[in-house]
Amino acid sequence: MPEASRYARALAWLLPQSLLGRLSVVMVAGVLMTQLAGNLIWGAQLRKDAEVEAKLAAQHIAHSAASAVRFFLSLPANYRPILIQQFREMGGTRFFVNVNRAPLAIQQIEARALSDTVVASVGATLKQDLPQLNHYRVAFAWPGELSVSDSGSKIADLPESWVQHILLVKPNPAPILVIQTELEPGNWLYLAALMPNPYFLDSGNPLALDRVLLQGLSLAAVLLLSILVVRWTTRPLAALSDAAEAFGKGENMPELPETGSREFVNTARAFSAMRERIQRYLEDRERLFVSISHDLRTPITRLKLRSELLDDDALRNEFHDDLDELDMMVKGALQCVKDSDIHENPTEVRLDALLKRMVRGSQLGGHQVQFSEAGLSVTAKPLALKRAIGNLLDNALYYGKRADISVHREPGHVAVRIRDYGPGVPEEAFGSLFQPYVRLAHGRDQNADGMGLGLGIARSIVQAHGGHLTLVNHPDGGLVATISLPAQ
């Protein structure tokens, strides 16, 4: 399991995070693997066919060479140069022919499977056709440095009419098959010819330039179409993601277009229906909450008036305390609904201007607040953001006497930190701080009128903006509240 988990993490790290990127990578990898497998199969078949073709061509050339050897063996030695000269003047024959006193040293081409197959097949066929042949040499050479006579002459030194119909010297030279056989001591017949397919060495190469170019063009076309199709397919999902994010932040978004694939149309309809149900639920909850809270205040007021008619002072005070507590709970419920559902449009908020106004107001009230400008802005609902930061600043001033406010840019976020210099929070209490009506002992002592709703409201507002609120104890004492909002 740890090994599989490590592989999964490595794969997740290598793959792009977006669906478009992942589908594109998968499709590209699939096309490349298909091309690779096809090339391997095709290459193997191509090499096999090229080998069979090369063997047949080698046998054909070897039979022709054996006939030429038998013909020159039948001629007197002094007639051979005359006949060769006549052949050259007539435009040549199947071979470029010469007679030398000894075999010439041939600078062979680099060893390849096809050329080695041809050389072996030519030698075997010559031995089969001419059993009496004792000495012969077969090799492939490039025409550039190929010697043709024992006087040192090369192909390039010969008249063009002697070789233009026999060999390919320019513009794209082809390898030349050179066969040298001993006619009698001191006389070696020199035969040079092209293969029926002069460029047979490239016929078995699946990576030839023209083939690679063709496959590259086809691969590029397939990948381009694949990426376009994937992008066209995933674009509605991006619209759905934007709509869900905007709805989570309370923004008004137009209805999703019911176009595209059947699956997306069904998803868009389901999302629109879900959004309408949630919106109705929120509106009904708000109306119900406000109605209940409002309706409760009237009987509470009547009970307070009736309690004044009680003659027993102790009983009257107990009634007053219970009714005050009930009235505070009703006010808290109304405040919770109003503060966490502020209807306004998001806009660009310059944090320096917003925070400077809040700091100035706190300083006028006699509090110590330090703030350094950062020049950063966020997209937010101004009143809602002010309410969230104000709740945290009020807590810091209530419980820590003074506060420091700073703004920092972080990867993908803008962080607003508010530090107080109070006693901090016990570690075991962090889990319950955001619950309504939860207050710590030192909070109840210093702010008896509080209801424990400020942190919960602040977190709800921050989360509605796509951010998060964290609370940690400072190493030097006090509490640090950090609001992280998406950067522009």
Side-chain angles (χ1 to χ4, degrees):
M1 288 299 292
E3 192 74 16
S5 178
R6 185 160 57 250
Y7 287 147
R9 286 196 300 270
L11 185 62
W13 181 78
L14 291 174
L15 287 176
Q17 297 300 314
S18 65
L19 180 60
L20 172 61
R22 292 192 172 188
L23 288 178
S24 299
V25 167
V26 170
M27 296 190 72
V28 168
V31 171
L32 289 177
M33 291 178 64
T34 303
Q35 288 273 19
L36 179 60
N39 281 339
L40 291 176
I41 297 172
W42 179 51
Q45 185 63 41
L46 193 64
R47 285 190 293 270
K48 183 178 179 181
D49 294 343
E51 184 178 358
V52 172
E53 181 183 347
K55 283 184 178 180
L56 292 175
Q59 292 172 3
H60 174 72
I61 291 179
H63 289 311
S64 299
S67 299
V69 171
R70 280 194 293 263
F71 174 73
F72 278 95
L73 282 173
S74 66
L75 294 175
N78 55 344
Y79 279 96
R80 293 168 185 163
I82 299 174
L83 188 61
I84 291 173
Q85 186 63 31
Q86 290 178 349
F87 285 157
R88 292 171 180 172
E89 292 176 357
M90 294 168 56
T93 60
R94 176 71 176 82
F95 298 95
F96 172 81
V97 185
N98 201 11
V99 176
N100 300 306
R101 291 187 298 273
L104 303 182
I106 303 298
Q107 184 177 354
Q108 301 186 37
I109 65 175
E110 63 276 7
R112 297 190 187 181
L114 278 182
S115 61
D116 293 344
T117 299
V118 170
V119 168
S121 182
V122 168
T125 305
L126 284 175
K127 196 64 177 174
Q128 180 182 355
D129 290 354
L130 301 170
Q132 74 279 12
L133 192 65
N134 294 322
H135 299 95
Y136 64 90
R137 296 184 181 182
V138 182
F140 274 103
W142 294 109
E145 296 297 327
L146 179 60
S147 298
V148 297
S149 69
D150 45 17
S151 63
S153 298
K154 300 183 182 303
I155 290 288
D157 302 328
L158 301 177
E160 186 176 352
S161 61
W162 290 11
V163 297
Q164 64 180 350
H165 302 303
I166 304 173
L167 308 176
L168 283 175
V169 179
K170 56 184 180 180
N172 187 16
I176 298 173
L177 177 65
V178 179
I179 302 173
Q180 301 182 82
T181 60
E182 187 181 33
L183 300 178
E184 59 266 339
N187 283 313
W188 281 74
L189 183 64
Y190 182 100
L191 302 175
L194 294 174
M195 294 288 290
N197 176 11
Y199 304 105
F200 75 102
L201 290 178
D202 294 332
S203 62
N205 181 19
L207 298 179
L209 180 60
D210 55 344
R211 297 191 181 100
V212 171
L213 181 61
L214 179 60
Q215 290 185 356
L217 291 176
S218 63
L219 178 62
V222 171
L223 295 184
L224 178 62
L225 291 176
S226 300
I227 292 176
L228 290 177
V229 170
V230 171
R231 186 175 181 83
W232 174 70
T233 305
T234 56
R235 183 176 296 173
L237 297 179
L240 178 62
S241 175
D242 294 340
E245 183 178 1
F247 179 65
K249 294 180 180 180
E251 301 174 1
N252 293 323
M253 289 289 293
E255 293 292 330
L256 287 172
E258 296 185 2
T259 58
S261 63
R262 180 178 59 187
E263 291 79 6
F264 175 74
V265 170
N266 293 336
T267 303
R269 291 174 179 171
F271 176 80
S272 299
M274 179 193 68
R275 181 168 61 178
E276 292 176 359
R277 288 195 301 270
I278 293 176
Q279 190 64 40
R280 286 198 302 269
Y281 165 75
L282 293 176
E283 293 173 356
D284 292 344
R285 185 206 66 167
E286 180 180 355
R287 286 194 295 268
L288 178 63
F289 220 117
V290 172
S291 299
I292 293 176
S293 301
H294 182 270
D295 292 344
L296 284 175
R297 299 184 67 178
T298 301
I300 290 174
T301 303
R302 288 201 302 267
L303 288 174
K304 284 185 177 181
L305 293 175
R306 290 176 181 176
S307 65
E308 295 294 336
L309 302 177
L310 295 176
D311 296 331
D312 191 339
D313 293 339
L315 182 60
R316 184 171 60 250
N317 291 335
E318 290 179 0
F319 266 101
H320 272 293
D321 291 341
D322 291 341
L323 291 173
D324 288 340
E325 183 177 354
L326 182 59
D327 187 37
M328 183 179 296
M329 293 177 64
V330 172
K331 290 179 180 179
L334 283 172
Q335 180 185 355
C336 184
V337 172
K338 292 179 180 179
D339 287 355
S340 60
D341 190 19
I342 298 179
H343 299 283
E344 56 179 333
N345 295 323
T347 185
E348 182 180 356
V349 178
R350 292 186 298 171
L351 293 176
D352 287 346
L354 175 66
L355 294 173
K356 283 170 65 176
R357 288 195 298 269
M358 298 177 68
V359 169
R360 191 181 303 112
S362 299
Q363 291 174 343
L364 290 176
H367 299 290
Q368 298 182 29
V369 182
Q370 297 294 329
F371 170 65
S372 301
E373 297 185 14
L376 298 177
S377 300
V378 295
T379 300
K381 298 179 179 181
L383 292 179
L385 182 60
K386 181 180 179 181
R387 187 70 52 82
I389 297 176
N391 287 349
L392 298 177
L393 181 59
D394 290 343
N395 285 347
L397 296 177
Y398 272 126
Y399 308 133
K401 302 302 181 185
R402 62 190 180 97
D404 294 339
I405 304 178
S406 60
V407 181
H408 306 278
R409 181 181 295 279
E410 298 179 349
H413 291 83
V414 172
V416 180
R417 291 189 176 89
I418 302 172
R419 181 202 171 185
D420 64 44
Y421 291 84
V425 175
E427 293 296 330
E428 65 275 7
F430 276 106
S432 60
L433 278 181
F434 293 104
Q435 297 179 9
Y437 306 112
V438 172
R439 306 180 66 208
L440 302 181
H442 68 276
R444 291 191 297 269
D445 295 338
Q446 298 185 38
N447 184 17
D449 296 332
M451 292 177 287
L453 297 173
L455 286 178
I457 293 172
R459 185 175 69 169
S460 298
I461 293 174
V462 172
Q463 289 178 344
H465 283 79
H468 54 273
L469 171 63
T470 57
L471 303 175
V472 294
N473 285 321
H474 195 277
D476 298 330
L479 186 70
V480 179
T482 303
I483 295 176
S484 294
L485 297 172
Q488 289 184 336

